[in-house]
Amino acid sequence: MEEIEELSPLRVASTVQALSSALRGNRENAPAANRGKGDRVFPDPEKLWFKESSAKNLRNRDFLSPTTVLNTLYADGQVPPAVMSRVLSLRGSGVLPVAGAEVMGEGLRLRVDRAAAFKAVLAGRTADYLKPSSQKEGCVLINCPALHPKIYTPTPETLTLGQLRTVLLADHMGALLRSQGFSVFYCPKLPKDANMVAFLRALGIDWPTAAADLTYEEQEEQILKALESSIYREEGADRGRKTCRGGGGGKKVEEEEENEGALRINLKRVFQEEGLLGYDPSLGTCTVQRDSISQLAQLALCTADCTEVTVTVLHVTSCQDEFRQQQMAMLWRASGAPHAQKHVVCGPVKTPGSHLTAAQYLQLRRGQMKEASEMKYGDQVEGQTWDDIIKVMTSATVRFELLSTVHTSPVTLDVQKEGGVSTKGPRGGVFVMYNCARLHTLFDSYERGVEKGLYPEIPEGSQLDFSALKEEGEWLLLFNYLIPFSELLDQSGQAIGYEGGGARANIKTEQICKFLVSLSKDFSSYYNRVHVLGVRLYSYIYVFTYTKEIPWEIEFLGDLEVHF
């Protein structure tokens, strides 16, 4: 078994990059026809190798360079001995250890030295695999227009499902960005005694609050004075002006103003003269309303909490409200706000045959979860413990339903009462939490067994024989989840660009949901097939010690804990 020279964490991306370099070399073996003639060029280095993930393919290979790639790089697709030697002797920072390689019908197959990889991950600096590879700096203010008051503070009974989706996404993004190292703040702050605060806590969201009597008069006056003296202010009574209103929800407002003395700002000039891309060209000139001043005042106050030099503001809004929020962003810019602003726009939430508010939706899912639990566990479902379980399961169900789809795409919900939710089957939040509870039970049983002398303590990783881990499910959990997890977290902050790139930010928040569901499926399959607290106790427990450390909820459920 080869020892790994580098102590840096193993990375799939680093391995693919090193393999691609080994395969391409200096291109001396490429057919002449492929050396830049016409449209026939060398393949993209990132597409020379593919990481395998299915259990079937992982039985004989871990990475593959397809035959089509080999035919492009080498005459007759024959890999030169020198190239094969480079592949087999591959080493480097973050590169997985190579056990062997061979050319077969499907291409060049590469096998990882699995025992060495297990040792590097589980007996090394395991914490490095459970966090992003690097920490970023800066402050991110997440603004959720759905929670801004128009006249009154929004309530669960007035919150639409589309707006609920933006609130859940804002909370989820905050957790991801904090893991990246960003300082994260939220806007607006809700009154402490508002019904919305308790409603969001039932979903595991600890939204920031402020005193119920807090006013923003000073900030509003400052914003108003800044707009009155803005170089983008317009005088006169030109037709075609639009009204800028704050608050959440509603359609694009295009009301002609007849009030000659109103404050008007040319928003189109703002994004054109400041070189801001991706804004709607029909923004035009708008008339400033009091509710928009209120929202800008709250944004200004929240950004004052940011001590970092670099501040990015993310407006998380529904597609129906995107135009209005672009107005607000440009209005804030016209007042002198220097911060980079991005828009995260959610697709609609559809409920065929029904129209539910956020409060009605949560009540429906909670009732269905209780009914499903009673069908499975009978009279046991009573008391505070079961109330807590149903609360957590309901929260997980709602979150996965609204966050598992690409945020720009529509979500269609089955909200028929007879549809129900299931406590069985490999889908959604319930299934993820069920497997989280399995892990909790597994470790609780082990720890109680150690106390009773039934099981030994786990020895140091250097004393374990990782070559004993031969079950395909063990490698699948390490190769598809533990090793790539850090790289998955890395992707969450990549869309936070401070300049350029358009008005929208494309943050792939749905990947965490898909990752957790997939992990749950593979863990469940392994758990049902293998007796973990058995003969090969040391190796199994060591693997799952770090599977447990993956934050399965990724702060989805806040500080709530499942008790089974």
Side-chain angles (χ1 to χ4, degrees):
M1 182 174 66
E2 294 288 340
E3 292 293 330
I4 301 174
E5 295 179 348
E6 299 292 339
L7 295 178
S8 56
L10 302 180
R11 301 289 185 223
V12 172
S14 299
T15 303
V16 170
Q17 183 179 9
L19 286 171
S20 298
S21 298
L23 204 61
R24 288 167 66 90
N26 59 11
R27 302 182 180 179
E28 74 275 11
N29 297 303
N34 286 353
R35 293 177 185 166
K37 270 193 176 183
D39 293 330
R40 298 189 65 188
V41 296
F42 286 96
D44 186 331
E46 295 181 357
K47 297 180 180 178
L48 297 181
W49 289 89
F50 298 91
K51 174 191 173 296
E52 296 290 2
S53 58
S54 70
K56 178 181 177 182
N57 289 337
L58 286 175
R59 288 167 190 157
N60 54 53
R61 62 180 185 256
D62 299 306
F63 293 91
L64 176 70
S65 181
T67 298
T68 53
V69 170
L70 301 181
N71 289 336
T72 303
L73 290 176
Y74 310 114
D76 300 324
Q78 299 298 313
V79 181
V83 174
M84 184 65 80
S85 177
R86 286 201 300 267
V87 170
L88 291 173
S89 60
L90 199 64
R91 290 177 179 272
S93 177
V95 177
L96 282 111
V98 176
E102 58 185 347
V103 178
M104 302 296 287
E106 65 271 27
L108 177 56
R109 305 193 311 198
L110 182 134
R111 300 183 307 282
V112 170
D113 185 337
R114 297 182 175 184
F118 271 117
K119 183 176 181 180
V121 176
L122 301 180
R125 298 184 301 184
T126 310
D128 290 341
Y129 295 90
L130 306 175
K131 62 184 181 181
S133 60
S134 62
Q135 292 289 290
K136 296 179 172 61
E137 296 181 351
C139 175
V140 178
L141 174 64
I142 299 178
N143 178 40
C144 194
L147 297 179
H148 280 277
K150 294 185 68 177
I151 299 176
Y152 303 105
T153 300
T155 67
E157 289 74 26
T158 61
L159 195 70
T160 69
L161 292 181
Q163 291 171 333
L164 176 61
R165 187 183 186 187
T166 66
V167 177
L168 290 171
L169 188 68
D171 178 66
H172 179 44
M173 285 172 49
L176 291 173
L177 293 172
R178 278 193 295 270
S179 76
Q180 289 279 333
F182 291 104
S183 297
V184 178
F185 297 88
Y186 293 93
C187 184
K189 293 181 180 179
L190 296 173
K192 286 184 178 179
D193 58 354
N195 291 337
M196 186 65 76
V197 174
F199 175 78
L200 295 180
R201 284 177 179 166
L203 288 169
I205 299 174
D206 188 17
W207 197 268
T209 60
D213 58 351
L214 179 65
T215 63
Y216 302 91
E217 293 179 359
E218 181 180 346
Q219 289 76 20
E220 289 176 1
E221 184 176 350
Q222 293 173 354
I223 292 289
L224 187 59
K225 287 182 178 180
L227 289 173
E228 288 174 341
S229 60
S230 172
I231 61 173
Y232 301 109
R233 179 180 180 179
E234 285 200 351
E235 303 292 346
D238 297 333
R239 295 180 63 82
R241 298 185 178 90
K242 302 177 179 67
T243 300
C244 289
R245 297 184 185 274
K251 300 179 180 178
K252 184 189 299 186
V253 180
E254 299 183 358
E255 303 173 359
E256 290 191 11
E257 283 295 326
E258 298 178 357
N259 185 354
E260 296 287 337
L263 175 61
R264 301 182 177 96
I265 303 294
N266 190 324
L267 303 182
K268 190 169 185 177
R269 279 186 56 204
V270 178
F271 67 77
Q272 286 182 337
E273 295 183 13
E274 300 200 19
L276 303 173
L277 304 176
Y279 282 87
D280 193 322
S282 66
L283 283 177
T285 299
C286 78
T287 301
V288 181
Q289 300 295 313
R290 182 171 182 82
D291 51 3
S292 61
I293 294 293
S294 176
Q295 183 178 153
L296 296 184
Q298 292 187 61
L299 284 168
L301 187 62
C302 288
T303 53
D305 294 334
C306 301
T307 57
E308 286 82 353
V309 175
T310 304
V311 178
T312 299
V313 179
L314 292 178
H315 302 287
V316 187
T317 187
S318 64
C319 56
Q320 295 94 335
D321 199 34
E322 180 181 13
F323 183 86
R324 178 172 295 167
Q325 199 54 41
Q326 286 197 6
Q327 286 183 321
M328 296 300 300
M330 289 302 94
L331 196 61
W332 197 24
R333 191 80 173 192
S335 73
H339 315 299
Q341 299 182 68
K342 294 286 186 179
H343 299 261
V344 179
V345 181
C346 293
V349 178
K350 302 177 180 180
T351 55
S354 300
H355 178 74
L356 298 179
T357 66
Q360 291 170 333
Y361 169 57
L362 182 62
Q363 183 179 9
L364 173 66
R365 288 291 183 255
R366 185 185 293 117
Q368 291 172 332
M369 184 59 63
K370 183 176 182 180
E371 182 180 351
S373 299
E374 288 173 341
M375 290 179 63
K376 183 174 182 179
Y377 298 104
D379 295 338
Q380 298 180 47
V381 184
E382 60 179 19
Q384 187 61 48
T385 298
W386 270 103
D387 287 346
D388 292 341
I389 291 172
I390 291 171
K391 179 181 178 180
V392 170
M393 290 300 199
T394 303
S395 173
T397 298
V398 169
R399 285 175 171 270
F400 273 78
E401 283 187 332
L402 294 178
L403 295 177
S404 295
T405 303
V406 176
H407 71 269
T408 55
S409 299
V411 170
T412 300
L413 299 177
D414 178 4
V415 292
Q416 301 302 316
K417 292 184 178 180
E418 62 273 14
V421 293
S422 174
T423 59
K424 299 181 180 180
R427 67 179 197 178
V430 174
F431 185 66
V432 171
M433 295 307 299
Y434 178 68
N435 282 280
C436 184
R438 275 179 161 178
L439 276 173
H440 173 82
T441 301
L442 172 66
F443 281 94
D444 184 63
S445 298
Y446 170 71
E447 289 165 1
R448 284 188 283 106
V450 170
E451 293 174 359
K452 296 177 180 179
L454 300 177
Y455 304 128
E457 295 277 359
I458 299 177
E460 294 294 327
S462 59
Q463 301 177 33
L464 296 176
D465 178 11
F466 289 100
S467 64
L469 294 171
K470 299 183 182 297
E471 227 281 346
E472 67 178 31
E474 295 152 5
W475 176 244
L476 192 139
L477 288 170
L478 186 90
F479 192 55
N480 283 349
Y481 303 106
L482 289 180
I483 292 176
F485 183 65
S486 176
E487 295 173 79
L488 177 67
L489 293 179
D490 285 338
Q491 298 173 11
S492 64
Q494 292 177 354
I496 308 298
Y498 300 123
E499 297 295 340
R504 286 192 176 191
N506 183 26
I507 299 180
K508 299 179 179 179
T509 51
E510 77 286 350
Q511 290 185 344
I512 293 292
C513 291
K514 294 178 179 178
F515 175 90
L516 291 173
V517 171
S518 181
L519 170 58
S520 298
K521 289 180 181 178
D522 287 331
F523 168 70
S524 180
S525 175
Y526 179 82
Y527 184 92
N528 291 331
R529 192 174 62 252
V530 176
H531 184 52
V532 175
L533 295 179
V535 179
R536 288 159 35 182
L537 173 66
Y538 284 152
S539 298
Y540 287 137
I541 288 296
Y542 220 82
V543 171
F544 287 110
T545 295
Y546 297 107
T547 306
K548 183 183 71 170
E549 292 300 322
I550 287 182
W552 289 60
E553 295 136 302
I554 314 300
E555 294 194 9
F556 276 175
L557 306 178
D559 295 326
L560 296 175
E561 184 178 356
V562 179
H563 301 283
F564 272 94

